[in-house]
CSV table of all heavy atoms in Angstrom, one decimal:
chain,number,residue,atom,x,y,z
G,1,SER,N,39.5,-82.2,-51.3
G,1,SER,CA,40.6,-82.0,-52.2
G,1,SER,C,40.7,-80.5,-52.5
G,1,SER,O,39.7,-79.8,-52.4
G,1,SER,CB,40.4,-82.7,-53.5
G,1,SER,OG,39.3,-82.2,-54.2
G,2,PHE,N,41.9,-80.1,-52.8
G,2,PHE,CA,42.2,-78.7,-53.3
G,2,PHE,C,42.6,-78.8,-54.7
G,2,PHE,O,43.4,-79.6,-55.1
G,2,PHE,CB,43.3,-78.1,-52.5
G,2,PHE,CG,43.0,-77.4,-51.2
G,2,PHE,CD1,41.8,-77.6,-50.6
G,2,PHE,CD2,43.9,-76.5,-50.6
G,2,PHE,CE1,41.5,-77.0,-49.4
G,2,PHE,CE2,43.6,-75.9,-49.4
G,2,PHE,CZ,42.4,-76.1,-48.8
G,3,ASP,N,42.0,-78.0,-55.6
G,3,ASP,CA,42.4,-77.9,-56.9
G,3,ASP,C,43.8,-77.4,-57.0
G,3,ASP,O,44.2,-76.6,-56.1
G,3,ASP,CB,41.4,-77.0,-57.7
G,3,ASP,CG,41.7,-76.9,-59.2
G,3,ASP,OD1,42.6,-76.1,-59.5
G,3,ASP,OD2,41.0,-77.5,-59.9
G,4,LYS,N,44.6,-77.8,-58.0
G,4,LYS,CA,45.9,-77.3,-58.1
G,4,LYS,C,46.0,-75.8,-58.2
G,4,LYS,O,47.0,-75.2,-57.7
G,4,LYS,CB,46.7,-78.0,-59.3
G,4,LYS,CG,46.2,-77.5,-60.6
G,4,LYS,CD,47.0,-78.2,-61.7
G,4,LYS,CE,46.5,-77.8,-63.1
G,4,LYS,NZ,46.9,-76.5,-63.5
G,5,ASP,N,45.0,-75.1,-58.6
G,5,ASP,CA,45.0,-73.7,-58.7
G,5,ASP,C,44.4,-73.1,-57.5
G,5,ASP,O,44.4,-71.8,-57.3
G,5,ASP,CB,44.2,-73.2,-59.9
G,5,ASP,CG,44.9,-73.7,-61.2
G,5,ASP,OD1,46.2,-73.7,-61.3
G,5,ASP,OD2,44.2,-74.0,-62.2
G,6,ASP,N,43.9,-73.9,-56.6
G,6,ASP,CA,43.2,-73.4,-55.4
G,6,ASP,C,44.2,-73.4,-54.2
G,6,ASP,O,44.3,-74.3,-53.4
G,6,ASP,CB,42.1,-74.4,-55.0
G,6,ASP,CG,41.1,-73.9,-53.9
G,6,ASP,OD1,41.2,-72.7,-53.7
G,6,ASP,OD2,40.4,-74.7,-53.4
G,7,VAL,N,45.0,-72.3,-54.2
G,7,VAL,CA,46.1,-72.2,-53.2
G,7,VAL,C,46.0,-70.9,-52.4
G,7,VAL,O,45.2,-70.0,-52.7
G,7,VAL,CB,47.5,-72.2,-54.0
G,7,VAL,CG1,47.7,-73.5,-54.7
G,7,VAL,CG2,47.5,-71.0,-54.9
G,8,PHE,N,46.7,-70.9,-51.3
G,8,PHE,CA,46.8,-69.7,-50.5
G,8,PHE,C,47.6,-68.7,-51.2
G,8,PHE,O,48.7,-69.0,-51.7
G,8,PHE,CB,47.3,-70.0,-49.1
G,8,PHE,CG,46.4,-70.9,-48.3
G,8,PHE,CD1,46.7,-72.1,-47.9
G,8,PHE,CD2,45.2,-70.4,-47.8
G,8,PHE,CE1,45.9,-72.9,-47.1
G,8,PHE,CE2,44.3,-71.1,-47.1
G,8,PHE,CZ,44.7,-72.4,-46.7
G,9,VAL,N,47.2,-67.4,-51.2
G,9,VAL,CA,48.0,-66.4,-51.8
G,9,VAL,C,48.4,-65.3,-50.9
G,9,VAL,O,49.2,-64.4,-51.2
G,9,VAL,CB,47.2,-65.8,-53.0
G,9,VAL,CG1,46.9,-66.8,-54.1
G,9,VAL,CG2,45.8,-65.2,-52.5
G,10,SER,N,47.9,-65.3,-49.6
G,10,SER,CA,48.2,-64.2,-48.7
G,10,SER,C,48.0,-64.7,-47.3
G,10,SER,O,47.1,-65.6,-47.1
G,10,SER,CB,47.4,-63.0,-48.9
G,10,SER,OG,47.8,-61.9,-48.0
G,11,THR,N,48.8,-64.3,-46.3
G,11,THR,CA,48.6,-64.7,-44.9
G,11,THR,C,48.7,-63.5,-44.0
G,11,THR,O,49.3,-62.5,-44.3
G,11,THR,CB,49.7,-65.7,-44.5
G,11,THR,OG1,50.9,-65.1,-44.6
G,11,THR,CG2,49.6,-67.0,-45.3
G,12,THR,N,48.2,-63.6,-42.8
G,12,THR,CA,48.3,-62.6,-41.8
G,12,THR,C,48.1,-63.3,-40.4
G,12,THR,O,47.5,-64.4,-40.4
G,12,THR,CB,47.4,-61.4,-42.0
G,12,THR,OG1,47.8,-60.4,-41.1
G,12,THR,CG2,46.0,-61.8,-41.7
G,13,VAL,N,48.5,-62.7,-39.3
G,13,VAL,CA,48.2,-63.3,-38.0
G,13,VAL,C,47.7,-62.2,-37.1
G,13,VAL,O,48.0,-61.0,-37.2
G,13,VAL,CB,49.5,-63.9,-37.4
G,13,VAL,CG1,50.0,-65.1,-38.3
G,13,VAL,CG2,50.6,-62.9,-37.2
G,14,GLY,N,47.0,-62.6,-36.1
G,14,GLY,CA,46.5,-61.8,-35.0
G,14,GLY,C,47.3,-62.2,-33.7
G,14,GLY,O,48.3,-62.8,-33.8
G,15,TYR,N,46.7,-61.8,-32.6
G,15,TYR,CA,47.4,-62.1,-31.3
G,15,TYR,C,47.6,-63.6,-31.1
G,15,TYR,O,48.7,-64.0,-30.8
G,15,TYR,CB,46.5,-61.5,-30.2
G,15,TYR,CG,47.1,-61.8,-28.8
G,15,TYR,CD1,48.2,-61.1,-28.3
G,15,TYR,CD2,46.5,-62.8,-28.0
G,15,TYR,CE1,48.7,-61.4,-27.1
G,15,TYR,CE2,47.0,-63.1,-26.8
G,15,TYR,CZ,48.1,-62.4,-26.3
G,15,TYR,OH,48.7,-62.7,-25.1
G,16,ASP,N,46.5,-64.4,-31.3
G,16,ASP,CA,46.7,-65.8,-31.2
G,16,ASP,C,45.9,-66.6,-32.2
G,16,ASP,O,45.5,-67.7,-32.0
G,16,ASP,CB,46.3,-66.3,-29.7
G,16,ASP,CG,44.8,-66.0,-29.4
G,16,ASP,OD1,44.1,-65.4,-30.3
G,16,ASP,OD2,44.4,-66.3,-28.3
G,17,HIS,N,45.7,-66.0,-33.4
G,17,HIS,CA,45.1,-66.7,-34.5
G,17,HIS,C,45.8,-66.3,-35.8
G,17,HIS,O,46.5,-65.3,-35.8
G,17,HIS,CB,43.6,-66.4,-34.5
G,17,HIS,CG,43.2,-65.0,-34.8
G,17,HIS,ND1,43.4,-63.9,-34.0
G,17,HIS,CD2,42.7,-64.4,-36.0
G,17,HIS,CE1,43.1,-62.8,-34.5
G,17,HIS,NE2,42.6,-63.1,-35.7
G,18,SER,N,45.5,-67.1,-36.8
G,18,SER,CA,46.1,-66.9,-38.1
G,18,SER,C,45.0,-66.9,-39.2
G,18,SER,O,44.0,-67.4,-39.0
G,18,SER,CB,47.1,-68.0,-38.4
G,18,SER,OG,48.1,-68.1,-37.4
G,19,ALA,N,45.3,-66.3,-40.3
G,19,ALA,CA,44.4,-66.2,-41.4
G,19,ALA,C,45.1,-66.3,-42.7
G,19,ALA,O,46.3,-65.9,-42.9
G,19,ALA,CB,43.6,-64.9,-41.4
G,20,ALA,N,44.4,-66.8,-43.8
G,20,ALA,CA,45.0,-66.9,-45.1
G,20,ALA,C,43.9,-66.7,-46.1
G,20,ALA,O,42.7,-67.0,-45.9
G,20,ALA,CB,45.6,-68.3,-45.3
G,21,LEU,N,44.3,-66.1,-47.2
G,21,LEU,CA,43.4,-65.8,-48.3
G,21,LEU,C,43.7,-66.8,-49.4
G,21,LEU,O,44.9,-67.0,-49.8
G,21,LEU,CB,43.6,-64.4,-48.9
G,21,LEU,CG,42.8,-64.0,-50.1
G,21,LEU,CD1,41.3,-63.9,-49.8
G,21,LEU,CD2,43.4,-62.6,-50.6
G,22,LYS,N,42.7,-67.5,-49.9
G,22,LYS,CA,42.9,-68.4,-51.0
G,22,LYS,C,42.7,-67.7,-52.4
G,22,LYS,O,42.1,-66.7,-52.5
G,22,LYS,CB,42.0,-69.6,-50.9
G,22,LYS,CG,42.4,-70.6,-49.8
G,22,LYS,CD,41.6,-71.8,-49.6
G,22,LYS,CE,41.0,-72.4,-50.9
G,22,LYS,NZ,40.1,-73.5,-50.6
G,23,SER,N,43.3,-68.3,-53.4
G,23,SER,CA,43.2,-67.8,-54.8
G,23,SER,C,41.8,-67.6,-55.3
G,23,SER,O,41.5,-66.8,-56.1
G,23,SER,CB,44.0,-68.6,-55.7
G,23,SER,OG,43.5,-69.9,-55.7
G,24,ASP,N,40.8,-68.3,-54.7
G,24,ASP,CA,39.4,-68.2,-55.1
G,24,ASP,C,38.7,-67.1,-54.4
G,24,ASP,O,37.5,-66.9,-54.5
G,24,ASP,CB,38.7,-69.5,-54.9
G,24,ASP,CG,38.6,-70.0,-53.5
G,24,ASP,OD1,39.1,-69.3,-52.6
G,24,ASP,OD2,38.0,-71.1,-53.3
G,25,GLY,N,39.5,-66.3,-53.5
G,25,GLY,CA,38.9,-65.2,-52.8
G,25,GLY,C,38.3,-65.5,-51.4
G,25,GLY,O,37.9,-64.7,-50.7
G,26,THR,N,38.3,-66.8,-51.0
G,26,THR,CA,37.8,-67.2,-49.7
G,26,THR,C,38.8,-66.9,-48.6
G,26,THR,O,40.0,-67.0,-48.9
G,26,THR,CB,37.3,-68.6,-49.7
G,26,THR,OG1,38.4,-69.5,-50.0
G,26,THR,CG2,36.2,-68.9,-50.7
């Protein structure tokens, strides 16, 4: 489960992969 406050806050992409930062800093 994801806590309601545990959300993605930023995204970025590379050549063929993607990344996201969650609100908890992970």
Side-chain angles (χ1 to χ4, degrees):
S1 66
F2 273 18
D3 182 281
K4 69 180 177 73
D5 297 322
D6 190 18
V7 295
F8 291 116
V9 295
S10 182
T11 62
T12 192
V13 298
Y15 177 76
D16 63 0
H17 66 288
S18 304
L21 175 68
K22 283 180 39 183
S23 58
D24 65 0
T26 58

